[in-house]
């Protein structure tokens, strides 16, 4: 039976009209066999199959609502459920992934806005700087504060020169102390090997060793002086100058936005221009507050710096003077009292050379 069906299906065309009826009575048995196959297959209820037939006319529709069988029931709601978005735990994961994607997108937008604001601010400040340099723009000037700033810069430059000279003095004097140490060792060696000149070599050896000891004390005093002045110049003064640089940048920004507001105020007063003027007024107020705050900070730091400078330099200059005077007067006792008075602690011999771990 199956062989006859396959042979007929392979060699015959089965034309199907619009009603699904076969063209000739000869194929009734074939149709019954096909229906039997469909009955034993899956139930395609509520669907229709568009069939063109092998070599037959297209457009024939075979309704399957009447075909029933024990196969898997086809439910069209299954497709609807697949098309509809999930509302269970999977949907929460999907929403979480969407929110996770929105986070870096928001960060990127914020970075883009910050870069845009930085570019606008840089353009305005550069324009203001060139306008001031070529004499076409005005700048805000606090004459009293500007004079104090210039005085501080000049003072820092002179104190840096003191540091260079005092450091050079330490280097040269240390070389002299090392020479005196070597000379005293040589005199000591010769006093032991020259009996006829033992006393003379011995006196000179003791003198050079005493000068070497006093020289090390003087080096300690000068080193303490250099360390204190270096802290004053490169930390205290530099901190104030850093605040001054921030103040000068704020002044430039303030003048740039002030000039921008003045330029907009001289233009037309339509709706769009009024919006721009309002935004410029807002930016101007922000930079004005920043400028006023930094100007107050600079004024306070300059006041405290002046008080600290007088206090530190009064002590260090007195130390320097007393140590130098006592050394060159040959007054060892006064030199030692000076070191005790200013709490100068001498390093033990050989501590100048760094250890192996420090060199690494």
């Amino acid at each position: 039976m199956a062989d006859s069906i396959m042979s007929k299906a392979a060699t015959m065309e089965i034309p199907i009209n619009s009603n699904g009826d076969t063209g000739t009575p000869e194929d009734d048995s074939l149709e019954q066999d096909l229906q039997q196959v469909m009955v034993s297959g899956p139930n395609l209820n509520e669907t229709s199959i568009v069939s063109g037939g092998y070599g037959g006319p297209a457009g024939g529709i075979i309704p399957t609502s009447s075909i029933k069988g024990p196969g898997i029931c086809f439910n069209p709601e299954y497709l609807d459920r697949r098309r509809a978005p999930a509302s269970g735990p999977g949907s929460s994961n999907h929403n979480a992934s969407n929110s996770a994607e929105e986070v870096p997108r928001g960060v990127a937008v914020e970075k883009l806005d910050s870069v845009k604001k930085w570019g606008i601010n840089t353009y305005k400040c550069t324009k203001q700087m060139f306008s001031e340099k070529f004499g076409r723009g005005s700048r805000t000037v606090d004459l009293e504060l500007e004079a104090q700033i210039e005085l501080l810069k000049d003072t820092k430059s002179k104190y840096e020169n003191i540091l260079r000279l005092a450091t050079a003095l330490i280097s040269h004097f240390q070389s002299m102390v090392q020479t005196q140490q070597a000379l005293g060792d040589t005199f000591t060696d010769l006093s032991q090997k020259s009996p006829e000149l033992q006393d003379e070599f011995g006196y000179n050896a003791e003198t050079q060793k005493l000068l070497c000891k006093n020289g090390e004390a003087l080096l300690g005093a000068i080193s303490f002086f250099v360390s204190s002045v270096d802290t004053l110049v490169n930390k205290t003064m530099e901190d104030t100058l850093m605040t001054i640089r921030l103040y000068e940048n704020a002044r430039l920004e303030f003048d740039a936005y002030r000039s921008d507001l003045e330029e907009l105020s001289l233009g037309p007063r339509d709706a769009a221009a009024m919006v721009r003027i309002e935004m410029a007024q807002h930016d101007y107020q922000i930079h004005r507050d920043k400028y006023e705050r930094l100007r107050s900070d600079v004024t306070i730091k300059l006041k405290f710096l002046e008080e600290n400078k007088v206090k530190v330099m009064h002590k260090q200059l007195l130390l320097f003077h007393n140590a130098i005077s006592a050394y060159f007067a040959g007054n060892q006792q006064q030199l030692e009292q000076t070191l005790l008075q200013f709490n100068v602690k001498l390093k033990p011999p050989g501590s100048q050379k760094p250890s192996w771990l420090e060199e690494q």
Side-chain angles (χ1 to χ4, degrees):
M1 182 68 178
D3 295 337
S4 61
I5 293 174
M6 294 299 296
S7 61
K8 290 180 180 181
T11 58
M12 296 177 59
E13 295 181 356
I14 307 175
I16 302 175
N17 57 21
S18 60
N19 294 325
D21 297 330
T22 56
T24 62
E26 182 181 1
D27 300 325
D28 291 340
S29 60
L30 178 60
E31 181 180 0
Q32 293 175 1
D33 295 335
L34 291 173
Q35 289 179 358
Q36 184 66 28
V37 173
M38 295 296 294
V39 168
S40 62
N43 184 7
L44 302 179
N45 190 21
E46 301 297 331
T47 62
S48 61
I49 302 174
V50 179
S51 174
Y54 179 76
I61 300 177
I62 303 175
T64 61
S65 59
S66 61
I67 302 176
K68 299 179 181 180
I72 301 175
C73 180
F74 181 81
N75 191 355
E77 294 180 358
Y78 175 72
L79 292 177
D80 296 336
R81 288 198 301 267
R82 296 193 64 180
R83 295 191 190 99
S87 60
S91 63
S92 62
N93 294 334
H94 180 69
N95 295 334
S97 63
N98 289 338
S99 61
E101 292 177 358
E102 290 176 357
V103 170
R105 187 182 299 113
V107 173
V109 171
E110 291 179 359
K111 289 184 178 180
L112 183 61
D113 291 340
S114 63
V115 171
K116 181 179 178 182
K117 292 179 181 179
W118 174 83
I120 294 175
N121 185 75
T122 302
Y123 167 75
K124 291 181 181 295
C125 293
T126 304
K127 179 181 177 183
Q128 176 67 23
M129 182 175 61
F130 279 104
S131 298
E132 294 176 3
K133 184 173 293 186
F134 292 104
R136 293 194 299 265
S138 60
R139 63 187 300 265
T140 303
V141 179
D142 188 333
L143 295 178
E144 182 179 359
L145 187 59
E146 293 291 336
Q148 293 178 4
I149 293 174
E150 291 299 324
L151 179 61
L152 172 60
K153 292 180 179 180
D154 183 65
T155 302
K156 184 174 183 292
S157 176
K158 292 178 179 179
Y159 278 35
E160 287 174 343
N161 190 36
I162 290 176
L163 279 175
R164 285 192 295 267
L165 295 174
T167 304
L169 177 62
I170 290 176
S171 178
H172 298 323
F173 198 78
Q174 190 171 16
S175 298
M176 186 183 73
V177 170
Q178 291 174 354
T179 303
Q180 289 173 339
Q181 178 69 40
L183 189 59
D185 294 340
T186 303
F187 285 155
T188 301
D189 182 63
L190 289 173
S191 68
Q192 297 175 357
K193 296 180 180 180
S194 303
E196 66 279 4
L197 297 174
Q198 183 178 5
D199 293 337
E200 289 78 1
F201 279 126
Y203 296 151
N204 282 279
E206 291 297 328
T207 301
Q208 294 300 320
K209 288 180 180 180
L210 180 60
L211 290 174
C212 182
K213 180 180 178 181
N214 293 339
E216 290 177 352
L218 180 60
L219 282 174
I222 299 176
S223 298
F224 187 79
F225 170 83
V226 169
S227 176
S228 300
V229 176
D230 180 76
T231 301
L232 175 65
V233 173
N234 293 320
K235 291 185 178 180
T236 309
M237 289 185 178
E238 186 61 31
D239 178 71
T240 304
L241 287 174
M242 179 64 69
T243 307
I244 289 173
R245 284 190 284 269
L246 294 175
Y247 158 75
E248 291 175 346
N249 292 335
R251 197 277 311 163
L252 183 63
E253 291 179 351
F254 166 67
D255 284 335
Y257 283 90
R258 176 184 56 80
S259 300
D260 186 45
L261 178 62
E262 292 175 353
E263 184 177 348
L264 289 174
S265 300
L266 297 176
R269 293 302 183 97
D270 55 358
M274 292 303 296
V275 172
R276 290 195 297 270
I277 290 175
E278 184 177 356
M279 295 176 62
Q281 180 70 32
H282 176 72
D283 295 338
Y284 164 78
Q285 188 64 39
I286 291 175
H287 288 86
R288 179 181 178 181
D289 294 340
K290 180 180 178 182
Y291 165 74
E292 294 290 345
R293 183 178 69 255
L294 285 172
R295 183 174 66 175
S296 177
D297 292 344
V298 170
T299 303
I300 294 172
K301 284 197 172 186
L302 284 173
K303 179 181 178 181
F304 284 109
L305 175 62
E306 183 65 23
E307 295 176 357
N308 189 31
K309 182 192 71 174
V310 172
K311 181 179 178 180
V312 170
M313 292 307 298
H314 173 76
K315 176 181 178 180
Q316 297 303 319
L317 290 173
L318 186 61
L319 166 66
F320 190 84
H321 173 268
N322 291 345
I324 292 288
S325 300
Y327 174 81
F328 284 99
N331 193 338
Q332 181 181 1
Q333 184 178 2
Q334 183 182 355
L335 180 60
E336 292 176 354
Q337 290 178 354
T338 301
L339 297 181
L340 291 175
Q341 178 184 357
F342 294 96
N343 297 322
V344 179
K345 297 181 180 180
L346 299 179
K347 296 181 180 180
S351 63
Q352 299 292 338
K353 183 178 180 181
S355 64
W356 178 81
L357 289 177
E358 292 176 347
E359 292 179 351
Q360 298 301 319

